[in-house]
Amino acid sequence: MDIRAILMGLAFAFMWSSAFTSARMIVADAPPLTALAARFALSGVIACAIALAMGQSWRLTRAQWRAVVIFGICQNALYLGLNFVAMQWVEASLAAIIASSMPLLVAGFGWALFGDKVRPLGIAGLVAGMAGVALIMGSRLSGGTDLGGVALCLLGSLALTVATLSMRGATGGGGNVMMVVGLQMFVGAAALAVVAVATEPFVVNWTPRLAGAFLYTTLVPGVLATWVWFLLVGRIGTIRASTFHFLNPFFGVAVAAVLLGERLGWADVVGVLVIAGGILAVQLSRQADRPA
């Protein structure tokens, strides 16, 4: 793994993790699904415009169209939609920690459903990671954290896990990376807009913080982080790229603490360390299984 890939991975992990804090700011002043649909629509316009300026086309491979639909629904509409709704009641740091368990869920379901080989290091990582999540959630729930919000975050992580597993073997080759990014944003925007119109009143408290958080979420996690992820996967592969997910609990908790003043207890600190170690162990185990 070269220095450029390492820097790309660090940048992606930070941008991805920071989205939970900016989302928490947004849902404090705007209806969550409406705001998220608007964000995806704007992100899609920007990404597709950039793609056209780069000479990319609408002619995608079958694997790419599959990625557009699956990730547009499962990642954008379900995973992020459920998290946005949940963060009306759940702190950004807890939502980030739950979301960080996704690599563990992918490895666990891959072993249970597809018979993926899991080395002892990977098994230890799965057990440790889930124990860390249980430690944090037990501490937070005993402190009065909303159980319904936690359930929505868990369902969101499960939706992203399903999307990831469904793309097994679909590399998305054929170029047009930014176009894929933009089109999946439109799929998510359309799905969320239908639900938002049917379920949410349009009541917005217009504030500078809302505007800043919306623009940041649209441009940085929305467009830039997704683009960097696709480029990183193309450069070093999905398994090696996924190793950077072990940084998400750290970044997610740190950003929420600095910008939102969210307090952390000893169980949070220990749990984050255990989860990060578990994710790293699982990814290193999977990396060791790659053919030479």
Side-chain angles (χ1 to χ4, degrees), residues 16 27 29 44 67 75-76 78 94 96 105 109 120 136 139 146 152 182 199 274:
W16 188 91
V27 301
D29 293 310
Q75 175 178 284
N76 296 342
L78 292 176
L94 181 57
L105 294 175
F109 278 101
I136 293 173
S139 173
D146 185 85
L152 291 177
T199 61
V274 173

Side-chain angles (χ1 to χ4, degrees), residues 12 18-19 27 31 39 42-43 51 54 82 91 104 143 161 177 188-190 207 210 227 232 237 272 277 289:
F12 164 76
S18 68
V27 301
R39 170 207 148 175
L42 181 56
S43 295
M54 295 170 64
L82 289 168
E91 291 184 331
L104 300 173
T161 299
V177 173
T207 64
L210 172 62
W227 184 38
L232 183 63
V272 164
D289 287 330

Side-chain angles (χ1 to χ4, degrees), residues 19-109:
F20 294 92
T21 294
S22 58
R24 177 78 167 169
M25 295 177 179
I26 290 171
V27 301
D29 293 310
L33 298 183
T34 300
L36 190 56
R39 170 207 148 175
F40 282 140
L42 181 56
S43 295
V45 170
I46 294 171
C48 287
I50 294 174
L52 292 174
M54 295 170 64
Q56 298 183 14
S57 74
W58 307 91
R59 297 179 179 178
L60 307 182
T61 65
R62 180 174 296 181
Q64 287 177 324
W65 278 117
R66 184 181 170 194
V68 165
V69 174
I70 291 177
F71 277 99
I73 296 295
C74 291
Q75 175 178 284
N76 296 342
L78 292 176
Y79 166 67
L80 288 174
L82 289 168
N83 271 279
F84 260 61
V85 173
M87 276 187 286
Q88 295 175 105
W89 311 288
V90 173
E91 291 184 331
S93 57
L94 181 57
I97 289 168
I98 294 174
S100 297
S101 67
M102 188 275 291
L104 300 173
L105 294 175
V106 170
F109 278 101

